[in-house]
Amino acid sequence: MKKTKHRHSDVQSAARGSGNDVREGDKTPSWPETLLAWYGAHRRPLPWRTPGSAPLSEEADVYRTVVSEFLLMRTRVRAAEGYFRRFLERFPNWDELARAPEEEVLRFWQGIGFYRRATYLHSLARTVVERHGGKFPRDPRSWNELPGIGPYLSGLLAAKLLGLPEPAVDGNAQRVVARLFAWEGPKDDPGFVRRVRDLLRTYIPPELPGTFNEALMELGETVCTPRSPRCPECPLQDECAARRSGEPTRYPRPASPRPRPLEERDVYLCRTEAGILLVRRDTGLLARLWHFPHLSSASAEAGSCCADFAFIGTVEHAFTHRLWILRLRVPPASSATCGRAREDLVRLLAEDGWETRWFLPEELVRVPMPRVFRKVEERFAPFW
DNA sequence: GTCCGGTAGA
DNA sequence: TCTACCGGAC
């Protein structure tokens, strides 16, 4: 169960509101009004959007919104669209999702990354069904107990579901605000996100908080883009401090780069009459997904028979925070050597805390597996 | 190659 | 408050 995160105090304090920039009799529209007008004309019809950005009323719309937002965490709209359609077709409501086995949910998530989102969403569906009668709770205080609902999604739902004047601060909103006011950031400073949220609270129109949040994010996605902003098309160009500066992309300052350690690992095709050996674990990188068994090249060399597996080439895979060089190994030619090497491998995997299971080759297509091991699968296929 | 993007757990 | 987590676009 989740710990207290202090995030919904934001939602509650927002209810007090600090007004907005829309003043009666003011002839010049404030930028939130300009933004809303632009959004009315440029809103993209995305598969999870209801017509006219109406507040969420039907539970089916709440479900679709939540699913789409889980898919969109740290993920672009274009990448998420196809996943959303397939996911909704198979899991059309909280009940179907809650009933499904986790492995099937992960299979629909495979390839899009950040797989923990899928297990959180699945667990969220079960909580909604078992503890809230199949209806997403309307009390923001109870959101603390829900997996996968952080400050952004909490703000989004507070606005869209409850009509509270609460900002939904994603990367797009941060960028648009940073440019509008020429705030440097840096983006990886938690204080920066807080300042953006505080500022947006003073501008968010109390009558249309959900639409305003969407509009801000839409502008960031389609016009105020990270690298090549289309300033001449921007409805806020006249009030944008970054544009006036002549260097809009200087805002916000990018997060400080992190080192990306290189890891060499040996990956094994382990094939018997029982099938092909795959492994998984509950935590860490690619948690809950199936992997071809792999060991750090160091531990594989440490006096084991794994070196008897024949090297057939390498696969490289870049994660954001690390780089993998995988050395592909297939069973040795001699069957005696093969048995010994296999026992050695299974023992070392168990010591590393991996759960092991054998799959028939035709079963692999239905197994949730990340991109990197689909690449490996392609290279191993000729050997089974 | 470099940059982009929310949440949880520590 | 910091770090781990994935894959795709440019």
Side-chain angles (χ1 to χ4, degrees):
Chain A
M1 199 42 53
K2 224 161 20 171
K3 311 293 171 295
T4 307
K5 282 185 269 182
H6 308 293
R7 54 192 193 212
H8 300 304
S9 57
D10 292 347
V11 174
Q12 277 129 36
S13 69
R16 291 195 293 277
S18 39
N20 61 71
D21 229 25
V22 186
R23 288 176 299 275
E24 242 177 284
D26 194 339
K27 295 210 177 56
T28 315
S30 62
W31 70 260
E33 288 177 301
T34 310
L35 175 65
L36 284 171
W38 170 86
Y39 186 52
H42 292 87
R43 179 178 190 264
R44 293 170 298 171
L46 299 174
W48 44 82
R49 284 186 170 164
T50 49
S53 35
L56 297 175
S57 50
E58 301 297 317
E59 191 58 29
D61 293 333
V62 179
Y63 175 74
R64 291 164 62 85
T65 297
V66 171
V67 170
S68 70
E69 290 298 338
F70 270 73
L71 275 167
L72 288 167
M73 285 174 197
R74 309 280 285 176
T75 303
R76 299 293 208 289
V77 165
R78 213 179 311 170
E81 276 175 318
Y83 282 87
F84 179 80
R85 289 181 216 280
R86 291 188 294 272
F87 197 93
L88 258 287
E89 200 170 312
R90 170 61 188 87
F91 312 109
N93 50 49
W94 293 118
D95 215 49
E96 288 291 334
L97 182 55
R99 248 206 301 274
E102 183 197 56
E103 185 147 306
E104 195 186 358
V105 178
L106 279 170
R107 196 190 313 151
F108 279 80
W109 218 267
Q110 102 176 302
I112 196 172
F114 290 104
Y115 300 101
R116 219 71 55 84
R117 296 179 289 175
T119 64
Y120 292 147
L121 178 58
H122 186 224
S123 154
L124 172 60
R126 292 193 162 169
T127 307
V128 165
V129 168
E130 288 160 19
R131 311 224 330 245
H132 299 280
K135 212 178 156 209
F136 189 90
R138 266 45 173 186
D139 176 2
R141 284 170 304 186
S142 67
W143 297 351
N144 275 321
E145 303 305 317
L146 301 179
I149 313 268
Y152 158 76
L153 190 44
S154 172
L156 182 120
L157 291 171
K160 212 173 153 77
L161 183 58
L162 308 175
L164 296 175
E166 181 65 15
V169 182
D170 74 340
N172 293 302
Q174 288 171 44
R175 189 171 55 254
V176 172
V177 167
R179 289 185 179 158
L180 207 46
F181 297 93
W183 285 2
E184 293 213 339
K187 270 178 27 176
D188 54 352
D189 173 12
F192 171 67
V193 183
R194 210 164 36 241
R195 287 198 298 282
V196 170
R197 186 176 300 114
D198 290 345
L199 177 128
L200 287 174
R201 280 220 186 84
T202 70
Y203 284 103
I204 191 163
E207 67 288 358
L208 286 171
T211 311
F212 174 79
N213 286 335
E214 276 180 35
L216 198 61
M217 295 188 276
E218 188 88 341
L219 186 70
E221 276 173 33
T222 62
V223 176
C224 193
T225 55
R227 291 177 218 222
S228 316
R230 292 179 256 283
C231 297
E233 298 170 30
C234 181
L236 306 181
Q237 55 179 290
D238 291 339
E239 5 206 350
C240 181
R243 169 139 167 94
R244 279 199 297 277
S245 83
E247 290 180 278
T249 52
R250 272 189 50 211
Y251 308 92
R253 187 145 48 90
S256 21
R258 300 200 181 287
R260 187 158 58 170
L262 187 147
E263 292 179 10
E264 288 188 63
R265 307 191 68 82
D266 285 29
V267 189
Y268 300 90
L269 171 61
C270 197
R271 174 79 165 104
T272 69
E273 304 74 35
I276 293 158
L277 181 66
L278 298 184
V279 301
R280 71 174 174 185
R281 60 186 169 185
D282 285 338
T283 57
L285 188 65
L286 305 168
R288 307 297 298 155
L289 273 77
W290 290 98
H291 305 216
F292 282 91
H294 52 94
L295 299 169
S296 79
S297 296
S299 80
E301 280 163 24
S304 79
C305 302
C306 294
D308 292 339
F309 281 80
F311 172 80
I312 60 155
T314 62
V315 160
E316 290 184 18
H317 188 82
F319 300 98
T320 293
H321 51 305
R322 72 188 72 186
L323 200 58
W324 267 6
I325 295 184
L326 301 177
R327 292 144 47 111
L328 306 182
R329 293 177 169 279
V330 299
S334 144
S335 60
T337 312
C338 182
R340 219 169 41 239
R342 187 169 61 235
E343 284 165 25
D344 229 16
L345 174 63
V346 172
R347 180 180 55 76
L348 287 171
L349 290 165
E351 283 172 11
D352 271 3
W354 292 98
E355 174 191 351
T356 56
R357 196 187 295 177
W358 300 84
F359 293 89
L360 297 174
E362 59 269 28
E363 291 178 310
L364 291 189
V365 68
R366 288 187 291 106
V367 165
M369 201 183 273
R371 292 272 194 234
V372 56
F373 291 115
R374 289 297 176 199
K375 288 200 254 179
V376 170
E377 181 188 2
E378 265 179 53
R379 303 278 296 277
F380 275 162
F383 294 90
W384 61 58

